[in-house]
Amino acid sequence: MYPYRLLCSLALLFLAATTLPAQSIQKIEPPNWFTNFQNPEVELLIYGKSLRGLHVTTDYPGVHVVSTTSLENSSYLIVRLHLTEAAQPGTIPLRFYAGDRLVTTHQYPLSAKGTTTLEGFDQSDVIYLITPDRFANGDPENDVVAGLRETTVDRNNPGGRHGGDLKGIIDHISYLDELGVTALWLNPTLENDMAEYSYHGYSTTDSYRTDPRFGTNEQYQDLSRRLRQRGMKLIMDIIPNHLGFNHPFATNPPTKDWINLGNKFKPTNHRRTTVQDPYAAPADAELHTDGWFVQVMPDLNQRQAHLATYLTQHALWWIEYAQLGGLRVDTWPYSDKDFLVDWTGAILREYPEMSIVGEEWSPQPAIISYWQAGKDNHDGYASKLPSLMDFPLQMAVQAGLSEEETWGTGLIKIYETLALDFLYANPHDLVVFPDNHDMDRIFTQVDEDVALWRAALVYHLTTRGIPQLYYGTEILMQNTDYPGDHGVIRTDFPGGWAGDATNGFTGAGLSAEIREQQDWLRQLLNWRKTASTIHHGQLMHFAPQHDGAYVYFRYTDTEKYMIVLNKAENQMLDLSRYADMLTEATQLKDVLSGAEYPINSELPIPSRGGFIYQVK
């Protein structure tokens, strides 16, 4: 028989053992890091159970633990590492201690940062925007994934999942290359584990995992590699402003201030002008920035220092892991404006040639220009953002092509909007586009008028800036019967699914008219690839005179092009009006048809539409 005192001691030890928290490490983000960054430190966000009070050590050469920080929520721990120049790729043993007791060890991968400079996109590129769920279904086996909330694939439901994926895009890289586009911007491909309407990608639930219905991280990486082999680039759609409400940050936030407004829904007022308005009420400005975009998208508080670091490292990790050629940043002005300066600066410090374009959906160039690097702003705000989406010009082109020609309507809208380029620090770095995933397709905008569709595309592909087209534009995709319906705007590309009656990739089943327009645009895009004057030349335009024509020139010291947008039938252009640009010229050559015209008093324009002439 054991002595009573010994039995009591054993009982106390057993009780202590059974009541100790079951400490464990479930995930570390970023999932790995890289050597040779300009910033030698990385902050690891540790997910697990009962992590409060733990401290971390390592004996890996060239790596030092700077600090271990417990957060309000014991499910999280912050570990900051310093990597010296001596740190080499390998596996870092991270040892987690509770006092002197070793709780667990985690092997953390350290990879080598690429030595090739990652270049972004520029005026020589044409960006092709794809909604991955709607482009091509390369792997039907991943249409439904066990464990994810949305379990139905229904191509008849405009707001549901249709099954498009990364493999479908990879399978059609040759089509895209031959079409003449040089960069792909994909709507977000990260995990969106939402109960419904998850296909669009803007409700992230795992920041480091490709949605398995699209594929894997490795497939995303492979897509980028295959594009670069062809001289093409991959642009990631990234969202520092918000996430999906099934993300762990929303369901179990690391700190009370991680999500704006105490993790309780209150909608933003969408008053983006309050960020710049010298008379704005603070309450209005705060609600714009801190309010949630929609109820299922909690708004992130980028003023929280650890979250700001997390978001910065997230962007750097994806750039390096996937060897990206650019970032498109969703809802740019809704994030904290000071964070945006730091975030952009940190990216450009590591990747000076990286392109970053922000979405600021405003019709006013004064509002857009505020956010571009180099702008001397009234309040001293110094952005570092290289590029923005040129929404004012997009709206002007729609109006210019659709309105009746009068002194103040029609093509003059395009002219006067472009005349405001003095507001921008660098207008040539803006992204110009006829449509995107959030607005009516360009063919619908021009009432399915092929001539005006051609005019719109000629304009966006020859004016200043970096052009972006939306998938399916080349085959006259439209949403005329359902204006404003996002699900229909993002219609499936025909031929991307087995059994489709028509195939936009091969032309099978397309009408003769659609094949003609596809061939026309393919010719235009491939001509543009080598048209350096269109990429980097100067621009001069002439004010429209109510005759239905708008004329502008792109030129260098050695080459010159004359572009005509024509809305009128039987147009005869008086060339004397353009003498500033046609001095000593003797001939105009249509770059697409090859037709040549002597420079006399008038130039016959063969039809309505858009025309590009080389000046000889």
Side-chain angles (χ1 to χ4, degrees):
M1 180 176 293
Y2 292 103
Y4 175 77
R5 185 173 296 175
L6 178 59
L7 287 173
C8 289
S9 299
L10 290 171
L12 288 172
L13 287 172
F14 175 77
L15 180 62
T18 56
T19 57
L20 282 174
Q23 296 157 320
S24 62
I25 307 299
Q26 298 172 3
K27 183 191 290 189
I28 296 182
E29 291 182 338
N32 68 284
W33 201 241
F34 307 93
T35 60
N36 301 319
F37 269 125
Q38 294 295 315
N39 181 0
E41 294 193 350
V42 59
E43 190 169 278
L44 308 183
L45 183 63
I46 318 293
Y47 296 71
K49 186 175 181 181
S50 301
L51 303 183
R52 184 179 293 115
L54 296 186
H55 66 277
V56 178
T57 68
T58 189
D59 56 5
Y60 192 82
V63 177
H64 308 296
V65 177
V66 176
S67 62
T68 306
T69 304
S70 295
L71 300 181
E72 297 170 25
N73 187 335
S74 64
S75 297
Y76 297 90
L77 192 71
I78 296 286
V79 176
R80 181 170 284 273
L81 302 179
H82 183 96
L83 281 60
T84 71
E85 293 181 357
Q88 297 297 314
T91 304
I92 304 170
L94 299 177
R95 299 184 177 89
F96 293 78
Y97 286 88
D100 295 331
R101 179 173 63 87
L102 178 64
V103 173
T104 188
T105 299
H106 182 91
Q107 303 298 323
Y108 186 74
L110 183 62
S111 306
K113 183 175 181 288
T115 57
T116 302
T117 300
L118 291 180
E119 295 182 355
F121 52 84
D122 61 22
Q123 297 95 320
S124 66
D125 287 301
V126 174
I127 300 168
Y128 189 86
L129 167 59
I130 292 175
T131 301
D133 182 65
R134 305 299 171 86
F135 189 65
N137 189 352
D139 181 11
E141 295 298 319
N142 66 15
D143 288 359
V144 176
V145 175
L148 297 183
R149 290 175 172 84
E150 191 166 15
T151 59
T152 301
V153 174
D154 181 3
R155 294 182 67 194
N156 294 317
N157 176 8
R161 298 197 77 95
H162 292 189
D165 51 31
L166 292 174
K167 188 175 186 303
I169 299 171
I170 290 171
D171 289 345
H172 294 98
I173 289 177
S174 293
Y175 166 80
L176 298 168
D177 191 8
E178 292 166 6
L179 182 63
V181 299
T182 61
L184 298 189
W185 157 26
L186 309 186
N187 289 143
T189 57
L190 295 179
E191 181 194 274
N192 267 235
D193 188 13
M194 307 293 284
E196 59 183 356
Y197 206 67
S198 66
Y199 78 91
H200 58 72
Y202 289 95
S203 301
T204 306
T205 55
D206 190 323
S207 304
Y208 286 94
R209 184 194 190 198
T210 297
D211 194 297
R213 292 161 294 192
F214 291 145
T216 65
N217 283 10
E218 291 75 20
Q219 280 181 307
Y220 187 83
Q221 190 180 50
D222 183 49
L223 170 61
S224 180
R225 179 184 61 80
R226 289 172 183 261
L227 290 172
R228 286 202 171 269
Q229 287 175 345
R230 293 173 177 261
M232 302 168 74
K233 301 155 190 172
L234 181 61
I235 301 167
M236 185 176 195
D237 204 330
I238 199 163
I239 317 161
N241 179 68
H242 56 263
L243 38 71
F245 73 174
N246 288 323
H247 194 291
F249 287 170
T251 59
N252 189 30
T255 63
K256 293 178 181 177
D257 61 350
W258 206 263
I259 304 294
N260 277 322
L261 303 179
N263 205 9
K264 295 180 180 178
F265 172 66
K266 185 175 183 179
T268 175
N269 55 22
H270 296 286
R271 297 298 180 188
R272 298 184 299 277
T273 51
T274 59
V275 179
Q276 308 170 33
D277 181 1
Y279 312 114
D284 287 340
E286 290 169 8
L287 184 58
H288 159 69
T289 301
D290 293 355
W292 296 19
F293 212 74
V294 294
Q295 190 165 2
V296 296
M297 294 178 179
D299 198 76
L300 294 169
N301 175 20
Q302 299 94 5
R303 296 178 295 276
Q304 215 290 339
H306 293 303
L307 173 57
T309 299
Y310 177 94
L311 294 170
T312 301
Q313 293 176 169
H314 174 256
L316 292 172
W317 188 89
W318 277 106
I319 291 171
E320 183 60 32
Y321 174 80
Q323 297 289 284
L324 296 175
L327 300 175
R328 180 268 185 182
V329 188
D330 189 58
T331 57
W332 180 267
Y334 290 81
S335 293
D336 180 80
K337 61 191 288 189
D338 295 323
F339 159 79
L340 290 171
V341 173
D342 295 339
W343 183 84
T344 310
I347 293 170
L348 296 177
R349 190 176 307 117
E350 304 294 347
Y351 302 98
E353 304 300 320
M354 185 55 50
S355 295
I356 308 172
V357 55
E359 178 201 34
E360 161 56 288
W361 196 326
S362 172
Q364 303 176 52
I367 299 301
I368 303 286
S369 64
Y370 177 87
W371 297 106
Q372 192 177 33
K375 179 66 183 294
D376 183 13
N377 285 313
H378 67 280
D379 59 359
Y381 183 71
S383 177
K384 295 183 179 179
L385 179 65
S387 177
L388 288 112
M389 309 298 294
D390 195 344
F391 282 93
L393 193 58
Q394 184 277 327
M395 298 175 194
V397 173
Q398 179 182 10
L401 295 177
S402 302
E403 293 177 351
E404 179 184 356
E405 290 298 308
T406 70
W407 188 88
T409 62
L411 293 168
I412 193 66
K413 295 281 187 71
I414 305 174
Y415 174 89
E416 292 190 338
T417 299
L418 203 67
L420 297 176
D421 270 7
F422 65 86
L423 292 168
Y424 297 106
N426 191 350
H428 289 264
D429 279 346
L430 300 176
V431 172
V432 298
F433 55 101
D435 60 9
N436 65 20
H437 60 294
D438 285 328
M439 61 179 61
D440 289 338
R441 285 185 171 271
I442 182 58
F443 196 47
T444 292
Q445 291 179 34
V446 297
D447 295 324
E448 299 191 14
D449 185 320
V450 170
L452 296 183
W453 174 85
R454 284 192 175 194
L457 293 178
V458 164
Y459 183 74
H460 286 97
L461 291 167
T462 58
T463 190
R464 59 92 177 120
I466 306 161
Q468 168 251 298
L469 304 177
Y470 193 30
Y471 80 94
T473 296
E474 69 272 24
I475 55 170
L476 303 183
M477 285 176 64
Q478 47 77 26
N479 63 294
T480 306
D481 291 337
Y482 301 92
D485 188 316
H486 285 199
V488 178
I489 289 167
R490 305 161 188 174
T491 296
D492 297 346
F493 191 95
W497 281 254
D500 282 357
T502 57
N503 191 319
F505 299 113
T506 66
L510 296 178
S511 70
E513 180 186 41
I514 291 177
R515 288 199 305 272
E516 179 185 355
Q517 306 317 317
Q518 186 180 35
D519 289 342
W520 174 86
L521 183 55
R522 182 183 293 112
Q523 182 187 6
L524 174 56
L525 290 171
N526 279 284
W527 167 79
R528 191 187 187 281
K529 280 186 176 181
T530 58
S532 59
T533 298
I534 300 298
H535 305 162
H536 305 297
Q538 298 183 66
L539 187 149
M540 180 183 292
H541 64 167
F542 292 78
Q545 295 184 320
H546 329 317
D547 56 1
Y550 172 43
V551 177
Y552 57 99
F553 291 78
R554 300 300 307 276
Y555 63 99
T556 65
D557 291 339
T558 59
E559 191 173 45
K560 189 179 298 180
Y561 291 96
M562 174 180 173
I563 298 98
V564 180
L565 304 187
N566 179 41
K567 293 168 61 178
E569 301 287 353
N570 303 315
Q571 181 76 263
M572 296 293 292
L573 280 186
D574 178 4
L575 293 182
S576 65
R577 166 128 169 78
Y578 313 108
D580 289 333
M581 283 279 105
L582 295 177
T583 303
E584 299 182 0
T586 61
Q587 192 178 64
L588 296 173
K589 179 180 179 180
D590 188 315
V591 300
L592 296 184
S593 72
E596 296 184 348
Y597 303 88
I599 294 184
N600 298 317
S601 60
E602 291 183 323
L603 173 68
I605 305 300
S607 65
R608 296 162 62 248
F611 303 89
I612 308 166
Y613 300 95
Q614 184 178 15
V615 179
K616 294 187 175 182

